[in-house]
Amino acid sequence: MSDYDIRKTVNDKYSLRGRVFQKIREDILSGKYKEHEELKEVAIGEELGVSRTPVREAFRQLELEGLIQIIPNKGAYVTGITAKDVKDIYMIRSLLEGLCARMATEKMTEEQLEEMEENIYLAEFHAGKGHMDQMAELDNRFHDILYEACDSKMLEHLLRDFHQYVLRVRQKTLSTNTRGRASNNEHRQIMEAIKAKDAKKAEQLANQHMINAYDNIVKNGLFEIYGEENGQERG
Amino acid sequence: MSDYDIRKTVNDKYSLRGRVFQKIREDILSGKYKEHEELKEVAIGEELGVSRTPVREAFRQLELEGLIQIIPNKGAYVTGITAKDVKDIYMIRSLLEGLCARMATEKMTEEQLEEMEENIYLAEFHAGKGHMDQMAELDNRFHDILYEACDSKMLEHLLRDFHQYVLRVRQKTLSTNTRGRASNNEHRQIMEAIKAKDAKKAEQLANQHMINAYDNIVKNGLFEIYGEENGQERG
DNA sequence: ATCAGTATGATTGTATACAATTATACCAGG
DNA sequence: CCTGGTATAATTGTATACAATCATACTGAT
């Protein structure tokens, strides 16, 4: 008992609120609702066949997830991720994925390690075939395993959030063919380091893995999906 | 325009929901509502003289803050922070405060630097007098300045959350007389490094600052406030 | 006495009604 | 044509009513 997860209930798929929450999040991340677009309670309620109440509660959650901004008495607006946000997130993730890999080195179970190996093997196959959807899915899963393995619900929670947050960027990134394979090779190196119980190396590799991912984003100029006016603001 | 903050509206003190949110959070952090205690919508609503609606919305936010856990159709329960959580948070904060200090070295304004110097000067005074409340307040403010100065709303947001989260521990920590002064000296060193534009040193010092803070917590066995059954769980 | 089953009460989930606030459109005056 | 103000509509904020779910206590049979 008591192995509950702080935010399992958010994924509660069987309450209206939970479904509304997931649906809106999906629609924001997929780009259906665009940056600065206003979300209206009744409209979304009608679309999903529910009243305003569950929609409002979902809004409050989405706000804390950082996906929308609620201006009191005015409305809910989809928040844009600026280029600077993405950069910051990758800098933060670089450190935290490193920490996660270090911690995972001590805590990882045999089953987790095996799933990782399988994951990398499969990804190699799909990389060859150019199956980008599967690559994205496997990349998700690789990092999930790492998050679970670090045995820290705080860190796991945090990294999962960021992972979600940059979803739009990430999917584009992996679809630049060469990066998919390079990324998987980095996964392999991280896995090897963990297998060899070399925590320091695992940390350093995971660190670099994020830096490489970000560099790739910059190099390929993938920021256009975040609109034009973004980037550095003050300063 | 458009210098909005993702979660400014949460601090919206002028809506019922905002006030309820802040009140409950305060009551949890101050220890009024204890770990695993059940929060009932009507009871809290009556206490604050509002209906269930704003209370429910506040609950949804508190859940995402990680302060309560909502079990569908059952209730809302105050989540405990385990000793392991505290440890994890300090490990994470160590890295992120370091990153923050590094970034702040480039971005800090003259005004911010001056407020920091004043802060440290004042803290020295209060440390001598044993004014623990003021020390806690100044410590809060020191870190806030740093968070603002890093010029990253993502990082600022994150660090503020963690800062809040370990509030209970922190206040106890600073009241162990010697740590208050030592902590302030570390603040001074960080400030000096930033002043000298030595980003690497600032990072390393902020890093160590967190490790020292955590060591102090462990050394003084300040975990009892989180109840008995806590600590490492699986593993 | 113990257990199953049911009935009752308490609590949360959702919908709707009403109040407050904000946006929009229209009109009068310059 | 532009400006300011007022009326109206649209939208959010809050309260309340009703439905669904869960906890508890009681009853009756074994």
Side-chain angles (χ1 to χ4, degrees), chain A residues 4 7 9-10 17 56-57 60-61 63-64 69-70 84-85 88 151-153 158 234, chain B residues 4 7 9-10 12 17 56-57 60-61 63-64 69-70 84-85 88 151-153 158 234:
Chain A
Y4 56 81
R7 49 179 33 186
T9 54
V10 168
R17 170 182 58 81
R56 281 179 65 83
E57 293 187 358
R60 295 301 175 274
Q61 296 184 311
E63 183 185 31
L64 281 208
Q69 182 204 12
I70 297 175
K84 172 132 184 2
D85 289 338
D88 290 347
D151 195 34
S152 162
K153 73 170 195 281
L158 207 54
R234 47 174 176 150
Chain B
Y4 56 79
R7 49 177 38 187
T9 54
V10 167
D12 169 21
R17 170 181 58 80
R56 281 179 65 82
E57 293 186 358
R60 295 303 175 276
Q61 296 183 311
E63 183 185 30
L64 281 206
Q69 182 204 13
I70 297 175
K84 173 134 184 357
D85 289 338
D88 291 347
D151 196 35
S152 162
K153 72 173 195 279
L158 207 55
R234 50 181 175 140

Side-chain angles (χ1 to χ4, degrees), chain B residues 189-200:
Chain B
Q189 286 185 285
I190 293 169
M191 186 266 290
E192 299 284 5
I194 292 173
K195 204 171 178 178
K197 297 284 177 201
D198 189 340
K200 201 170 168 185

